[in-house]
Amino acid sequence: MQNKNYISSYIAGTGKCVPEKIISNSYFESYLETSDQWITERTGIKERRWTDDNVGITELAQIASEQAIQRSNLEVSAIDGIIFGTVTPDFHLPSAACILQTKLGITRGFAFDVTAACAGFIYSLALADMYIARGVAKNVLVVGGDLVSYLANQQDRNTCVLFGDGVGAVVVRACEKDAEQAGNFKLVDLKSTPGIYASELCADGREADILKIPYGSANRLTPELVAAGGHFVQMDGKAVFKFAVKALVEVTQTICAQVGLKISEIDHFVSHQANQRILQLVGEQLGLDKSKIPMNIEKYGNTSAGTVPVLLDEELEAGRIKRGDLVLFSAIGSGMVWGAVLVRI
Ligand code: ACO
């Protein structure tokens, strides 16, 4: 059993921001053929948060980011780059990362968005670790979040009840240099040292049709397309459900094998909050203790790239995840894309 490995970075601080406006299940009962009971039993969602129409994602991201930077004991000037996992930027162009950079008062380094839907935070976190491992950055701000309320057709009961708005952020920092260093990698004991141990990113474009918003350069926005709801999320819920369970189970097994850790050694599984039943099935198939699978889907619904960092921040704040714990982040989204990052906090 190998206990030693090389790492380059660790999570130094976290932050989050969710809108104040709460939309409970009863809101949908007021105009759709649905019920609090159906939504709760099929998804685990009781309420979600929505932004007002004139609020863009960088407004929430700024709050989450400032919190994460401050909790990392850093000045904003120390941030070398921003990676923002989102599919709901303020505008088509420029990127949300560039707008956020200016809002934070940062005038140097790189800034870009990552389009990986609900897996946007996982992809961005893995990329930040790779940038640091390559030696091109020391402090990377990673943001994940979406205002999914704006992508959902509020007349479609199959989708609109599922989604909410929220953003989380973390600062990923390079490990301190020491004697046991090989380039930008540091030799560590996986049983104790905080750090990002491994990441696994996956994609299967053959499944693109099961979850999509079908307009863009290949299908231009026309009045007819808008009338048909082509600018909103379209989903084959059952197909996404099945794909998600299989993919999340497999990626968990793969990443543990990669670093030589047993699944039972992981303290917390901070996974994408799409459906309580998906999480329960993944837990059953991996033989996980239920207490290791935190959930907050009942409060926020599916905030896409926001679910994992928001949940992480809440669990840390509540003291349920503590420094030193081994945490597996995993998520899956439109593409299909999915992935996992294994971190000792
Ligand atoms: N209220 C009442 N009835 C509803 C509602 C609703 N809000 N939505 C669907 N129904 C109806 C359907 O129309 C269907 O009726 P029918 O039998 O007369 O045709 C019936 O409920 C059963 O529908 P199913 O699709 O079989 O319901 P299911 O148990 O699969 O649950 C759900 C649907 C919740 C969407 C589930 O499939 C799911 O969570 N899938 C995963 C998709 C997901 O999470 N997507 C989010 C984005 S992607 C991501 O984050 C991974």
Side-chain angles (χ1 to χ4, degrees):
M1 158 82 203
Q2 121 198 38
N3 287 341
K4 300 222 176 240
N5 212 326
Y6 285 95
I7 61 163
S8 299
S9 71
Y10 67 100
I11 292 179
T14 66
K16 68 165 178 311
C17 181
V18 293
E20 283 180 8
K21 188 162 71 184
I22 296 174
I23 306 293
S24 66
N25 289 345
S26 59
Y27 167 77
F28 298 102
E29 286 177 328
S30 71
Y31 73 99
L32 284 173
E33 208 175 302
T34 188
S35 66
D36 174 42
Q37 190 187 353
W38 192 97
I39 301 169
T40 307
E41 284 177 6
R42 296 297 179 108
T43 70
I45 301 166
K46 297 294 287 181
E47 57 191 38
R48 70 287 290 143
R49 305 292 182 100
W50 284 3
T51 48
D52 291 326
D53 283 354
N54 57 350
V55 173
I57 191 152
T58 60
E59 212 172 300
L60 280 68
Q62 182 182 356
I63 296 167
S65 301
E66 284 171 347
Q67 205 172 44
I69 294 167
Q70 191 240 323
R71 287 179 180 168
S72 306
N73 295 318
L74 288 174
E75 299 294 327
V76 287
S77 56
I79 298 296
D80 301 310
I82 302 172
I83 308 179
F84 197 152
T86 187
V87 289
T88 52
D90 289 4
F91 309 106
H92 257 291
L93 290 172
S95 68
C98 283
I99 295 174
L100 177 64
Q101 185 200 42
T102 300
K103 284 192 168 163
L104 293 172
I106 299 171
T107 52
R108 64 176 195 90
F110 57 84
F112 61 92
D113 291 358
V114 168
T115 302
C118 302
F121 175 75
I122 298 291
Y123 265 59
S124 301
L125 184 60
L127 279 178
D129 177 52
M130 291 172 204
Y131 269 76
I132 290 172
R134 193 71 183 84
V136 296
K138 283 202 162 114
N139 300 306
V140 180
L141 174 66
V142 175
V143 188
D146 281 296
L147 308 187
V148 203
S149 63
Y150 129 91
L151 296 180
N153 180 349
Q154 300 306 340
Q155 303 304 318
D156 176 11
R157 68 176 185 172
N158 291 295
T159 51
C160 69
V161 301
L162 303 174
F163 299 112
D165 303 341
V167 181
V170 302
V171 173
V172 183
R173 293 204 70 184
C175 296
E176 295 292 328
K177 298 242 177 207
D178 67 15
E180 285 196 280
Q181 193 95 17
N184 297 305
F185 292 89
K186 179 177 166 164
L187 187 63
V188 297
D189 185 345
L190 291 187
K191 298 281 184 191
S192 57
T193 316
I196 297 183
Y197 289 175
S199 58
E200 180 76 10
L201 302 180
C202 315
D204 187 349
R206 291 171 302 178
E207 299 294 341
D209 267 352
I210 63 176
L211 181 55
K212 60 186 178 183
I213 301 176
Y215 84 88
S217 58
N219 193 26
R220 309 291 164 109
L221 205 55
T222 60
E224 294 74 31
L225 189 74
V226 172
H231 56 312
F232 289 129
V233 172
Q234 296 176 3
M235 179 181 77
D236 176 345
K238 274 201 193 313
V240 174
F241 192 105
K242 275 193 206 149
F243 193 99
V245 173
K246 186 168 177 289
L248 292 172
V249 166
E250 283 176 4
V251 80
T252 304
Q253 291 164 335
T254 305
I255 205 163
C256 286
Q258 201 178 310
V259 290
L261 285 168
K262 291 193 209 101
I263 291 177
S264 59
E265 290 181 86
I266 296 172
D267 298 307
H268 311 277
F269 294 81
V270 175
S271 285
H272 178 44
Q273 307 284 296
N275 187 316
Q276 198 179 72
R277 290 184 298 138
I278 292 178
L279 295 170
Q280 283 163 349
L281 275 172
V282 170
E284 278 167 28
Q285 291 190 16
L286 290 169
L288 308 180
D289 184 336
K290 279 186 197 154
S291 65
K292 288 187 170 185
I293 312 173
M295 293 189 208
N296 61 6
I297 189 169
E298 70 283 359
K299 289 192 291 183
Y300 304 127
N302 179 352
T303 59
S304 184
T307 60
V308 169
V310 168
L311 181 58
L312 170 66
D313 186 73
E314 274 198 353
E315 293 298 295
L316 282 167
E317 263 189 347
R320 289 187 289 266
I321 293 181
K322 294 179 216 55
R323 288 279 157 193
D325 287 355
L326 188 59
V327 181
L328 185 84
F329 304 121
S330 62
I332 178 157
S334 169
M336 297 296 281
V337 289
W338 66 102
V341 182
L342 184 62
V343 179
R344 193 170 292 285
I345 293 293

